[in-house]
């Protein structure tokens, strides 16, 4: 979903996930889920897109978000999509 060219989300939820580290400790991560509506299918079925991302609650979450963004940028810049369709 191109968030710059569509309507704002019609709903938002926070999800909390318990992650376990290699040393057995757990920590809770909050995810933000935005729900966007899209034009219905030709059959009339509704279409909903989800944007799921870690909430930026602190420095670690901000770093994780940047690593994900950097990975997406590198994926596109490296021509991976062209290789997939070849």
């Amino acid at each position: 979903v191109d968030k710059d060219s569509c309507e704002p989300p019609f709903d938002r939820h926070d999800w909390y996930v318990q992650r376990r580290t290699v040393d057995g400790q757990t920590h809770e991560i909050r995810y933000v889920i935005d729900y966007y509506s899209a034009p219905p299918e030709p059959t009339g079925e509704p279409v909903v897109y989800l944007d799921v991302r870690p909430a930026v609650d602190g420095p670690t979450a901000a770093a994780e978000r940047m690593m994900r963004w950097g990975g997406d940028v590198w994926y596109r810049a490296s021509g991976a999509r062209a290789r997939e369709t070849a």
Side-chain angles (χ1 to χ4, degrees):
V1 174
D2 182 4
K3 292 181 278 188
D4 294 330
S5 65
C6 67
E7 296 292 320
F10 67 84
D11 200 2
R12 173 175 279 179
H13 293 266
D14 291 344
W15 281 17
Y16 294 87
V17 176
Q18 291 275 334
R19 285 192 183 166
R20 186 175 306 277
T21 61
V22 291
D23 61 358
Q25 296 181 2
T26 60
H27 62 285
E28 190 172 78
I29 305 295
R30 181 172 70 99
Y31 287 86
V32 176
I33 305 170
D34 285 334
Y35 295 79
Y36 294 88
S37 51
E41 292 286 336
T43 61
E45 293 289 321
V47 175
V48 176
Y49 291 107
L50 302 180
D51 179 23
V52 181
R53 63 200 178 279
V56 181
D57 292 337
T60 302
E64 288 176 351
R65 179 83 68 90
M66 287 304 295
M67 289 182 344
R68 172 62 194 205
W69 176 82
D72 290 346
V73 169
W74 176 253
Y75 177 81
R76 289 190 303 270
S78 69
R81 287 187 181 163
R83 289 191 303 274
E84 289 176 354
T85 59

